[in-house]
Amino acid sequence: MADLPVDITPTDEQHRALRALAALVEDGPETLVMAGLAGTGKTTLMRLLATMLRASGWEVLWCAPTGKAAARLRDKVGEEVRTIHSLIYRSVRADEVGNLHFGDLRPICGPRTVVIADEASMIGSSLGRDLRACIPKSSKLILVGDDGQLEPIDEPWYADFASAHVRLTGVHRQALESALLRKALDIRLGRVNQFPRESEGNYAWIRGTNRDAAQWMAEREQADATLLAWTNKDRERLNRLVRQELGLQGALLNRGERVLVLTNSKVHRVMNGEVVRATGLRASDHHREGDYAERVFELSWEGKETGHPALVHKDSFGADRTALTALLGRQALRGSWLHVDYGYTLTVHKAQGSEWASVGIVVTDGAAYALSKAPAARRGARLRRWAYTALTRASGEALIVDTVGGR
């Protein structure tokens, strides 16, 4: 076995998984699946595997489904990580209602390359097929994920988690020191079917209201924190309440506010689900396009190599009447508009692949109603997936605000 990174001491299970994956890369199927629970060291295993493969003459390429997931993986592996969309499509644009349109596929690597795609539970069948089509048969694709998380919206998984070639089950002792991870695993393994109501360590449960959740978020607005909700309707309601707590409800958008990106945009260099903070905001003249006129604002945001000026106004497209739209350049076409919203609350689906130090999870009547509409045999499993995914977005602490009957 090649020399391993000095900062990693693999477990016996990881040693066995490494040998199995290395053998499958050399003489196995074109696509490999590696699954594991939270806290089992999936990323650690992939770092070890990358070292081994490079020593054997393989190239290694990292990718992830979203910008946030790519940034998170880059921080962990210390290498360049691309989003799948930017890697495989020649162009990506969003139309005026937020639908994505992709250009032609392009080859992404030469022979004897291993492409590692993290957060594979977010990769649906169509994106997975396109990714595989961009990789030559002489190269391998490894899909890494946790099948306890939510499935892609409106599509089945591309990864066949039921037949994973390698599955990690041993949760590290250090990980189990976290009460919230222990409770997340209890949910994931079916030991409980709802959020436990006993607070412990970095896990807290309260019966409260949406206002309680909004106050919690307002107190942490400058910190690495977020609220998570079940539905977009819940998200919109909580965003309004947080803005009220911050005294921001009077204006459409204020300097320093959090902004959630709702579509991918190569022009703006942001990805769907990314949260940025508005800076350099100033009112400008009324913008008029045909019969449509709104008060607009110039917008740029931090966290990028350069600021990106844009125009922001109420979103007149789609059903989300609380959303905003950013437009690059006064005369830009609608096809370049960036759909955004206030970024204090995300749905759990939108939060997949991301991580915050503090996470507030709001259980509402909307969640209870959505579960009631699921077939009886699936309700428990659906709730477990949602709760497990939500809890594992927190790297530090989690607060459960149960508002059912508490409003």
Side-chain angles (χ1 to χ4, degrees), residues 6-21:
V6 295
D7 61 330
I8 298 177
T9 302
T11 65
D12 290 343
E13 182 184 50
Q14 287 174 333
H15 268 298
R16 292 192 296 271
L18 276 173
R19 288 193 291 270
L21 282 171

Side-chain angles (χ1 to χ4, degrees), residues 11 13 32 126 168 199 286 321 338:
T11 65
E13 182 184 50
L32 303 173
S126 58
L168 297 179
S199 297
H286 280 75
R321 291 175 296 176
L338 176 68

Side-chain angles (χ1 to χ4, degrees), residues 78-148:
E79 299 184 33
E80 180 185 9
V81 181
R82 298 278 300 276
T83 64
I84 296 174
H85 292 84
S86 68
L87 191 64
I88 69 175
Y89 297 115
R90 296 187 186 278
S91 64
V92 183
R93 75 172 179 86
D95 62 23
E96 66 270 17
V97 294
N99 296 316
L100 295 180
H101 300 273
F102 304 111
D104 295 334
L105 296 173
R106 59 185 173 193
I108 62 175
C109 63
R112 205 166 171 79
T113 300
V114 175
V115 179
I116 301 175
D118 197 24
E119 296 289 351
S121 61
M122 300 176 66
I123 301 175
S125 55
S126 58
L127 180 60
R129 286 194 299 269
D130 284 352
L131 174 59
R132 181 63 257 186
C134 294
I135 303 171
K137 293 184 180 296
S138 58
S139 293
K140 304 287 184 176
L141 171 62
I142 301 180
L143 300 166
V144 183
D146 183 347
D147 50 336

Side-chain angles (χ1 to χ4, degrees), residues 5 7-8 41-51 54 60-64 69-82 116-118 144:
D7 61 330
I8 298 177
K42 297 186 295 295
T43 305
T44 296
L45 180 62
M46 289 299 100
R47 284 184 62 196
L48 295 171
L49 181 64
T51 299
R54 285 170 174 147
V60 177
L61 183 65
W62 302 88
C63 61
R72 181 186 177 195
L73 181 61
R74 181 195 61 222
D75 292 343
K76 291 186 175 182
V77 301
E79 299 184 33
E80 180 185 9
V81 181
R82 298 278 300 276
I116 301 175
D118 197 24
V144 183

